[in-house]
Amino acid sequence: MLIELEKARTRNNVVRIFREELDGPDGWTDGFVVDANEEMVLLQLVDDSVRLNGYQILFLEDISDFAHPAPFNDFQKKVLALRGEEVVDPEVELDDLAVLLIDISEEFGLVTLHREEIEPDSCEIGRVVRADAVTYELEEIGSDARWFDDTFEYDLYDITRIEFGGAYEDALLIANDDMGDDAYELSDDYPDDGMIESKD
């Protein structure tokens, strides 16, 4: 699989990735392969409106199948070219998951973390303030764009999908920046377990 992902990256083709156990038989992700190693693949996503919309990291062990090139590769590449949108390497290293989360948080401000085997219908969004070989500590932001004033600890290897640099994360940052003194919310207003509904 890694060899085929590298071919897709070299040829700058869109791939379609399936994770049947996590996404079901009708779910997939379309994107350009930016980087990959024996554990993870980094994609720049192509959304339903045929625009580049942030990045996603998937784990190779979860991938059940993938198509290279994706079914609408030629159309998607043509539209993106006409719009002047080009694949951009976010320059994050995939070698160490804990370091990766810290780097994304520092460079992009927010990271969306999915733990689909535990919570298939929700995700956490925030900035990772600490991570080690076992756990990570997340300062979370709610769907109202306010930071929680406490942090939450999770198991590192419960993560099944990582997203960052997309339109939704950007919207949260813009709204939060505009709030000034109201950028944080009180802890008694938190949803259960500090989770918000998935943006999918």
Side-chain angles (χ1 to χ4, degrees), residues 1-199:
M1 181 183 298
L2 186 56
I3 293 172
E4 289 301 315
L5 290 171
E6 180 60 24
K7 286 181 182 177
R9 187 193 67 78
T10 302
R11 296 171 184 172
N12 198 36
N13 282 332
V14 181
V15 298
R16 175 164 292 181
I17 293 182
F18 299 86
R19 301 181 309 154
E20 187 167 352
E21 186 173 334
L22 295 174
D23 297 330
D26 300 320
W28 67 74
T29 295
D30 279 359
F32 292 93
V33 176
V34 179
D35 195 9
N37 62 18
E38 293 180 353
E39 295 182 0
M40 293 177 269
V41 56
L42 168 63
L43 304 170
Q44 185 159 20
L45 298 176
V46 180
D47 67 17
D48 292 341
S49 61
V50 196
R51 293 185 181 277
L52 297 176
N53 188 9
Y55 301 90
Q56 185 177 90
I57 295 171
L58 301 175
F59 295 88
L60 267 59
E61 65 181 7
D62 296 326
I63 297 174
S64 56
D65 197 7
F66 74 98
H68 169 233
F72 301 103
N73 172 68
D74 292 343
F75 166 72
Q76 290 166 315
K77 289 174 66 173
K78 180 177 181 179
V79 171
L80 290 170
L82 290 170
R83 287 175 166 164
E85 296 191 31
E86 298 181 353
V87 176
V88 177
D89 187 344
E91 298 183 356
V92 295
E93 298 292 334
L94 302 181
D95 297 334
D96 185 305
L97 183 56
V99 173
L100 173 65
L101 296 180
I102 295 289
D103 287 348
I104 291 171
S105 299
E106 290 178 351
E107 292 297 321
F108 290 87
L110 288 177
V111 59
T112 299
L113 299 170
H114 298 260
R115 300 176 300 131
E116 294 151 300
E117 293 179 348
I118 297 172
E119 297 288 346
D121 298 320
S122 64
C123 63
E124 292 84 39
I125 304 177
R127 51 194 174 204
V128 175
V129 296
R130 182 196 60 79
D132 56 33
V134 179
T135 63
Y136 63 96
E137 186 176 352
L138 186 68
E139 183 178 17
E140 296 183 31
I141 194 167
S143 55
D144 59 357
R146 288 182 169 87
W147 293 104
F148 300 167
D149 53 11
D150 285 332
T151 60
F152 301 86
E153 185 175 273
Y154 299 97
D155 290 340
L156 186 67
Y157 287 97
D158 285 342
I159 296 171
T160 55
R161 178 161 45 118
I162 302 166
E163 294 167 335
F164 60 97
Y168 185 67
E169 290 91 356
D170 186 53
L172 289 173
L173 287 172
I174 290 171
N176 180 266
D177 187 58
D178 187 59
M179 289 178 184
D181 293 340
D182 295 323
Y184 283 80
E185 62 184 23
L186 299 177
S187 58
D188 58 5
D189 293 331
Y190 293 171
D192 291 345
D193 298 327
M195 293 184 298
I196 68 170
E197 289 301 305
S198 171
K199 60 191 173 84

